[in-house]
Amino acid sequence: MIHVPFVDLKHQHHTIRKELYSAIDSVFEKSNFILGNQCTMFEKAFCDYLGGGYGVGVNSGTDALYFSLIAEGIGQGDEVISVSHTFIATYIAIGHTGANAVLVDIDPKSFTIDPNLIEKVITPKTRAIIPVHLYGRPSSMQAIIEIARKHKLVVIEDACQAHGAHIENKKVGLWGDYGCFSFYPTKNLGAYGDGGMVVTNTSERADRLRALRNYGQIEKYHHVSFGLNSRLDEIQAAILGVKLKYLEKWNSERKKIAQTYIEYIQSDHVACPVTPVDSDHVYHLFAVTSRYRDQLQKFLTERNVHTQVHYPIPVHLQKCYNYKTVNEVKLPVTEKICRRTLSLPIYPEMKPAAVEHVIQAVNDFSPK
């Protein structure tokens, strides 16, 4: 019987390993491992790929979010609007600034922030909005930007799962004041360890970010802010520079697999994600929903299809949530989605037989 892993990083590595080894070897030859040419070149290459901005490589997507908030002076007593249906890093970044998270519900079709709910929670203390482009699908950035400009708020895009996604031919990460990316190994563009980047729209903001990632230094031993040690190292930058050349191809393969799933999964018990009509979904994850989620996962495991449940406990129901929040949270859509969502295997190297096996297994499922 066919065995379908949730993801297969080994396969991807083998297809480009000669290029990767050459890039890594060049770092060893120069033996400049921190803030060297590879980081600078990748920052530029990634911004060129997006279509603009100033890139600042950091240690993780979490730090990218945190530094973006800090660069705007957001801290104690301020409020930041975001969602509960996200990886905890979005919330942690807010909490570590001293600011309070104001979490609102999501749109039931896109699973991203519902822009109709944002203005209802804006107060004089509100400083920023963090929309999350979840699973590779962009948030409704046109509406969010309009609200932000009206109320003079900073927009920090959590694009950690959406490398290459776009709205109206403008890639995510360039819509707001800051775009935050993660290069965790399983992402559409993944390193061989942790890594992240902030893309921002002014050189002044980029300069603040560069200081923050490097102990607050503007030059050696000249510290202008209270920064951290959070640099994208040269080896990871070299790896990412190689993989960036393949990102569009890999995203295209993800989209083909997703459309095959959407076309051929025919089940009364499983709903596929709604294909966006106004933006481009890059399918970091392919999340279906089912009232019988746990039964479905068990059934698929028995059929050698490995799945994952992403974010079964929303942020506002986590034990840490009371740390930095201000609003009494009632998020019925978020809670419903978190009870029902299951991620199917999707990665660029999936063979057609594996895709067909997943579809057949899902279609064969019948709840007890």
Side-chain angles (χ1 to χ4, degrees), residues 49-62:
Y49 167 76
L50 293 180
Y54 300 84
V56 181
V58 295
N59 185 58
S60 66
T62 309

Side-chain angles (χ1 to χ4, degrees), residues 144-157:
I144 293 166
I145 293 297
E146 184 177 339
I147 293 167
R149 299 300 174 250
K150 176 181 175 182
H151 295 276
K152 296 180 171 57
L153 304 177
V154 176
V155 176
I156 300 169
E157 296 177 67

Side-chain angles (χ1 to χ4, degrees), residues 274-309:
V274 177
T275 302
V277 296
D278 57 349
S279 63
D280 176 59
H281 196 321
V282 293
Y283 295 100
H284 168 59
L285 297 172
F286 189 89
V288 300
T289 53
S290 174
R291 291 177 57 194
Y292 311 98
R293 190 263 308 283
D294 294 342
Q295 286 188 48
L296 174 63
Q297 184 175 39
K298 184 175 183 293
F299 178 81
L300 293 177
T301 300
E302 292 169 351
R303 296 286 291 269
N304 287 325
V305 174
H306 290 260
T307 61
Q308 287 190 17
V309 176

Side-chain angles (χ1 to χ4, degrees), residues 158-194:
D158 184 337
C160 290
Q161 299 184 6
H163 312 71
H166 58 80
I167 308 164
E168 297 178 347
N169 295 317
K170 183 177 181 178
K171 288 189 170 66
V172 300
L174 297 181
W175 283 83
D177 302 291
Y178 299 86
C180 300
F181 294 86
S182 166
F183 301 124
Y184 186 78
T186 58
K187 297 298 171 67
N188 291 34
L189 179 63
Y192 284 180
D194 281 317

